[in-house]
Amino acid sequence: MEERAISSEHLKFLLSGKLLLRQEIPLDEILFQKLLQQQIIRKAGSIVQKGFSNQCLRCGNKKTSLFATIPCGTCSKTHLYCRNCIAMGRVMECEPLYEWHGESVSWPNHLEPCTWQGQLTLVQEQAANRIIKAIRKEEKELLVWAVCGAGKTEMLFPGITAALESGLRICIATPRADVVRELLPRLKKAFENVTVEALYGGSPTKAGTAQLILATTHQLLRFKQAFDVIIIDEVDAFPYHNDASLPFAANRAKKKRCTTIYLTATPRREHRKRIQQKKLEQVFVPIRFHGQPLPVPQKKICFSLKKDLKKFLPPKEFFTWIPNRKNPARQLLIFVPTIALAENMHSIMRRYLVGMNFLKNEKEMAFVHAEDPNREEKVLLFREKKIQVLLTTTILERGVTFPSVDVAIIDSGHKVFDEAALVQIAGRAGRSPNDPKGEVLFFHDGKSDAMEEAILSIKQMNRRGGFK
Amino acid sequence: MECLWCMEEIIVEISWINLFQVERQVALCSRCNEQLEKITGARCKHCSRQSTQDICPDCKWWKSQEKGDPLEKNFSIFHYNDFMQAIIAKWKYRGDYVLGEIFEQELFQACNEQFKFLMKEAVVVPIPLSKERSKERCFNQAAMLAGFIPMEKRNILSRIHGEKQSKKTRRERISATNPFFMSESLNKPVLLVDDIYTTGTTLRHAASLLKANGSHKVYALTLVRG
Ligand SMILES: [Zn+2]
Ligand SMILES: [Zn+2]
Ligand SMILES: [Zn+2]
């Protein structure tokens, strides 16, 4: 907590549009109590009874199994706390949440805030114009369906510009901290004179006082009626898609009049249905920014796959493919279904690859997974081409971009690889205008529906993009 | 019933072996449970560190001190592997109280196996938190563990607020002044309980204070050997 006195002007930025625990409010007790008395800060319910169940009003959790009881040392009673949102600080039945009822912030109307020099392609511009219209006309929702590699970030710039010109506050929420970290410098550069702030677990700042906020979806749990425009990136992805508390928080973070823009490359069935029923407006971007089609995955059947995987061996078809790749200069991104498999196959595979003279030494290959503390570093090494082969779980299926890779999925029929995951993984290939092709291989021992659907959907998107 | 850690549904397979135990609550699913790593094989008889020597060099050093080692013996149950670190972080620092229940059976059992001889006369004393820390967390993880032990419990130690142990170096920890105080004496053997044994300094501070106030022998049971 900062020790220096906080001016009332700064306080307004710090607390308005938020829903916070006492420990998240950096005020000494005397000033805090004074503001409570003046009703500038007010108490709000934390865990309340709703019918026969309880609800955590920060995350919306109603599941009995996600509440537990604690013999509380503060109030000396045994009462509930919420386990669902505990990573963001513990919500206790005996402690309220707090919200700001003082003067609200009026955000500046910027004059030509966009300092990005680039040029949008024709398709990107069409989508960008549609986004501008949605924001100007205060449309409630718009889904932007853009294929992997369409350049969606740049597509957002004109819409963000329009919002900033009207003095609106904007939040871009994305599932992963990696993506937030990657986006921050790009947005700062694109809007040099606008306050931009990144929020994620462990981010250097937690204040949330900027006009343009970039955040992991979880961070929305701290906001209430804060944003005029919310852009939800990868709306089909984990965790937004699986965790009901995130849509709950996103909804609460909206001001009464708010435009929500959903971004996705692989819309889920419920969104497609709403589009078909004309209940959800959409704009489709079928072409990658470099104008080349999406690589279509090839299936390779491996009859001894199960047997090989038991020994953590890659199938022999994989080793047959390696020396026959169309462009041997490309790096290799390999996906496997489980962490255990990644870990065990890694040491075996790199020995083979060195033996085949494909790698100079074993250090040229690494593996990453979701809980890997060195994930960021390894991804960076791969991007800098200090690592040639990266073995990964689905954690790298989205968000991260490498210019020139071939992609192999080992055991692509496994249930973790659903249609969306496979389309996303295939979308890692051919991202650079200098090498827009890239191979995608599905190594399997019996094709799954998801594989078929993914291939079909990629071909369909290519057709809609005007490719044969 | 869901796993306390991964929230997956726990499927209890009923066999002849556990037919009569199904009532017993399982805290973790088998996949999570497998990741807990119990200390097995040769260990220092004194501090539970994995060691081929009967008494490890650290413990020899403690014994060589002027007043000898105030701690008779520490027994730890688990290794401090990545999984355990993750659980402890969420339990203790995030304050997910209920996670402590994962360890109930093991603590009960370890006490029965290792400290049966103490059961009649000794009292269990959990390592306390300072007032400030306890206000922050609303519960004391050591006291929660002590609650799983079927012996008399006494909270007779208090702790002065200081820097977090985990932020200090080994040398700083060992040379730090005793952070504990107590206002009554106790003429009984004591079983101290804490979550982690790292250098053993904290436990020894508590032990020497207890001995100075009437306790003849002080033992320790800790969840994890760091
Ligand atoms: Zn909650
Ligand atoms: Zn309480
Ligand atoms: Zn020892």
Side-chain angles (χ1 to χ4, degrees):
Chain A
M1 299 277 144
E2 285 180 41
E3 292 291 333
R4 68 185 167 79
I6 293 171
S7 72
S8 59
E9 182 63 17
H10 184 58
L11 209 56
K12 182 170 88 180
F13 280 90
L14 205 60
L15 300 181
S16 72
K18 304 269 176 60
L19 185 65
L20 298 172
L21 294 165
R22 173 67 184 94
Q23 76 221 41
E24 293 170 324
I25 302 172
L27 295 178
D28 63 58
E29 199 52 30
I30 296 170
L31 180 55
F32 181 73
Q33 288 301 334
K34 198 177 123 198
L35 292 171
L36 261 183
Q37 231 163 42
Q38 296 172 341
Q39 301 205 346
I40 291 175
I41 293 175
R42 286 189 206 166
K43 292 180 181 179
S46 56
I47 296 176
V48 295
Q49 263 217 316
K50 287 223 167 148
F52 290 107
S53 59
N54 294 289
Q55 187 174 29
C56 168
L57 291 186
R58 180 169 66 170
C59 73
N61 168 34
K62 281 188 204 164
K63 257 180 104 176
T64 314
S65 60
L66 289 173
F67 289 104
T69 53
I70 179 170
C72 175
T74 310
C75 72
S76 312
K77 285 189 187 129
T78 294
H79 58 65
L80 296 173
Y81 69 95
C82 178
R83 298 192 68 211
N84 188 51
C85 60
I86 199 163
M88 307 283 291
R90 185 176 53 194
V91 176
M92 303 271 269
E93 199 178 4
C94 72
E95 290 170 10
L97 295 163
Y98 296 97
E99 54 187 52
W100 178 257
H101 281 259
E103 195 190 323
S104 56
V105 177
S106 58
W107 299 96
N109 297 66
H110 294 267
L111 202 67
E112 297 182 11
C114 189
T115 42
W116 183 64
Q117 302 292 342
Q119 190 81 55
L120 293 179
T121 65
L122 205 64
V123 253
Q124 281 178 323
E125 204 175 297
Q126 281 167 357
N129 288 336
R130 182 65 191 84
I131 295 170
I132 294 179
K133 184 180 149 216
I135 292 171
R136 291 233 171 100
K137 299 217 157 152
E138 294 177 9
E139 291 177 40
K140 276 188 84 137
E141 294 178 304
L142 172 68
L143 182 130
V144 180
W145 180 355
V147 297
C148 299
K152 61 183 173 184
T153 307
E154 289 75 14
M155 239 176 314
L156 293 174
F157 290 167
I160 294 174
T161 306
L164 291 167
E165 283 169 346
S166 325
L168 302 182
R169 193 181 194 198
I170 306 132
C171 176
I172 304 177
T174 183
R176 300 207 176 132
D178 312 81
V179 181
V180 176
R181 280 190 290 260
E182 196 196 289
L183 281 181
L184 179 67
R186 289 165 70 188
L187 278 151
K188 276 191 162 163
K189 226 178 134 195
F191 300 97
E192 273 172 9
N193 304 312
V194 178
T195 49
V196 184
E197 189 179 352
L199 302 175
Y200 50 90
S203 57
T205 131
K206 288 253 171 279
T209 54
Q211 186 167 7
L212 177 52
I213 296 272
L214 264 169
T216 50
T217 327
H218 276 105
Q219 297 292 324
L220 293 176
L221 285 172
R222 297 208 170 101
F223 288 91
K224 181 174 180 177
Q225 293 176 11
F227 302 106
D228 305 282
V229 176
I230 286 193
I231 299 164
I232 299 191
D233 186 23
E234 311 264 16
V235 67
D236 63 291
F238 177 87
Y240 194 86
H241 169 69
N242 308 59
D243 184 349
S245 67
L246 297 176
F248 175 87
N251 240 334
R252 183 185 57 217
K254 296 172 189 176
K255 283 191 190 157
K256 281 217 180 72
R257 286 181 161 180
C258 175
T259 303
T260 308
I261 314 268
Y262 302 111
L263 302 179
T264 173
T266 42
R268 297 270 164 189
R269 197 160 292 137
E270 62 264 29
H271 273 145
R272 289 190 205 176
K273 204 169 142 197
R274 285 184 60 208
I275 292 167
Q276 269 169 8
Q277 295 167 335
K278 307 246 181 263
K279 287 179 184 158
L280 177 61
E281 286 283 318
Q282 71 134 357
V283 51
F284 184 58
V285 189
I287 304 177
R288 294 185 145 191
F289 78 96
H290 55 47
Q292 298 292 322
L294 299 160
V296 179
Q298 299 167 49
K299 293 172 297 206
K300 282 266 188 296
I301 185 132
C302 315
F303 292 107
S304 62
L305 188 70
K306 286 275 162 344
K307 228 169 67 202
D308 292 336
L309 292 184
K310 268 204 183 115
K311 292 181 252 165
F312 308 118
L313 272 167
K316 80 172 184 299
E317 290 77 4
F318 172 79
F319 292 113
T320 327
W321 169 63
I322 289 283
N324 290 309
R325 295 190 305 148
K326 295 182 185 109
N327 179 354
R330 284 183 204 134
Q331 288 170 288
L332 205 54
L333 193 56
I334 304 165
F335 288 83
V336 290
T338 63
I339 296 180
L341 193 57
E343 193 167 359
N344 290 301
M345 189 181 280
H346 164 244
S347 50
I348 297 176
M349 191 189 274
R350 65 180 180 178
R351 224 178 309 134
Y352 272 90
L353 293 176
V354 171
M356 290 166 74
N357 280 328
F358 178 76
L359 294 178
K360 283 202 248 5
N361 58 57
E362 293 194 359
K363 281 193 191 131
E364 288 192 325
M365 174 166 175
F367 84 95
V368 287
H369 58 87
E371 277 120 61
D372 190 340
N374 303 320
R375 185 167 111 206
E376 252 180 278
E377 189 194 327
K378 288 176 183 171
V379 168
L380 195 69
L381 285 173
F382 188 66
R383 189 165 289 149
E384 290 170 347
K385 303 202 171 170
K386 290 184 180 134
I387 292 174
Q388 289 307 314
V389 181
L390 192 58
L391 188 66
T392 175
T393 57
T394 54
I395 185 70
L396 291 187
E397 83 182 33
R398 318 165 170 254
V400 280
T401 317
F402 308 106
S404 182
V405 293
D406 281 339
V407 177
I409 307 177
I410 291 175
D411 197 9
S412 58
H414 192 283
K415 66 175 189 308
V416 303
F417 298 119
D418 61 12
E419 182 199 336
L422 291 170
V423 171
Q424 289 285 351
I425 290 171
R428 299 306 101 202
R431 296 296 281 257
S432 157
N434 300 322
D435 182 21
K437 293 223 153 47
E439 293 177 61
V440 179
L441 275 96
F442 288 175
F443 294 97
H444 68 102
D445 63 351
K447 56 187 185 228
S448 62
D449 291 346
M451 284 164 56
E452 291 292 293
E453 281 159 18
I455 292 171
L456 197 72
S457 132
I458 289 170
K459 285 182 173 164
Q460 242 166 28
M461 286 189 269
N462 280 341
R463 240 190 329 270
R464 287 180 70 175
F467 303 101
K468 283 273 154 63
Chain B
M1 182 81 207
E2 281 151 5
C3 172
L4 276 182
W5 183 251
C6 71
M7 310 289 176
E8 296 277 321
E9 191 69 32
I10 299 178
I11 301 139
V12 186
E13 278 178 41
I14 298 177
S15 72
W16 284 111
I17 299 161
N18 66 9
L19 184 60
F20 302 102
Q21 303 174 10
V22 241
E23 285 302 308
R24 206 176 83 181
Q25 299 259 316
V26 215
L28 292 184
C29 69
S30 55
R31 226 180 38 208
C32 287
N33 203 39
E34 276 165 25
Q35 294 184 63
L36 289 173
E37 206 183 332
K38 274 184 147 180
I39 302 173
T40 53
R43 62 168 91 190
C44 168
K45 295 214 155 51
H46 209 73
C47 72
S48 267
R49 172 204 264 181
Q50 209 144 44
S51 160
T52 48
Q53 291 167 290
D54 250 15
I55 296 186
C56 75
D58 282 354
C59 288
K60 279 184 189 146
W61 181 85
W62 285 110
K63 279 186 193 302
S64 74
Q65 296 303 290
E66 202 183 318
K67 287 185 183 165
D69 191 339
L71 199 62
E72 298 300 316
K73 167 203 173 109
N74 164 68
F75 185 84
S76 305
I77 305 170
F78 293 104
H79 284 293
Y80 204 27
N81 63 6
D82 289 350
F83 186 61
M84 183 59 92
Q85 283 182 38
I87 293 182
I88 291 206
K90 197 169 179 221
W91 175 44
K92 186 164 141 179
Y93 300 118
R94 295 271 176 226
D96 199 352
Y97 178 83
V98 72
L99 288 177
E101 289 177 7
I102 293 171
F103 310 117
E104 179 166 4
Q105 300 287 339
E106 293 293 345
L107 234 86
F108 182 85
Q109 202 183 327
C111 186
N112 261 326
E113 286 168 7
Q114 301 296 324
F115 298 105
K116 196 140 203 159
F117 63 95
L118 286 174
M119 290 267 184
K120 279 213 175 97
E121 44 166 358
V123 291
V124 168
V125 175
I127 293 293
L129 297 175
S130 67
K131 259 202 198 118
E132 289 79 356
R133 191 77 65 224
S134 132
K135 203 176 162 217
E136 205 177 282
R137 293 199 191 140
C138 296
F139 79 97
N140 174 3
Q141 75 281 357
M144 184 179 190
L145 295 176
F148 300 144
I149 295 173
M151 283 163 70
E152 188 196 343
K153 268 135 315 226
R154 296 276 296 273
N155 295 309
I156 48 167
L157 292 177
S158 309
R159 187 177 199 151
I160 303 155
H161 192 56
E163 227 182 301
K164 273 189 189 156
Q165 282 288 328
S166 53
K167 285 194 177 153
K168 293 183 189 162
T169 64
R170 182 182 163 81
R171 184 186 297 265
E172 280 170 341
R173 285 194 204 191
I174 290 175
S175 61
T177 48
N178 198 325
F180 299 108
F181 61 95
M182 58 193 280
S183 42
E184 47 185 316
S185 63
L186 183 72
N187 264 318
K188 285 179 171 180
V190 165
L191 178 60
L192 286 168
V193 175
D194 204 0
D195 53 346
I196 307 174
Y197 181 112
T198 312
T199 62
T201 311
T202 310
L203 288 163
R204 284 179 174 92
H205 277 314
S208 45
L209 184 69
L210 285 162
K211 287 185 101 168
N213 285 282
S215 183
H216 299 297
K217 296 211 159 165
V218 182
Y219 303 81
L221 174 57
T222 46
L223 185 66
V224 178
R225 185 64 174 84

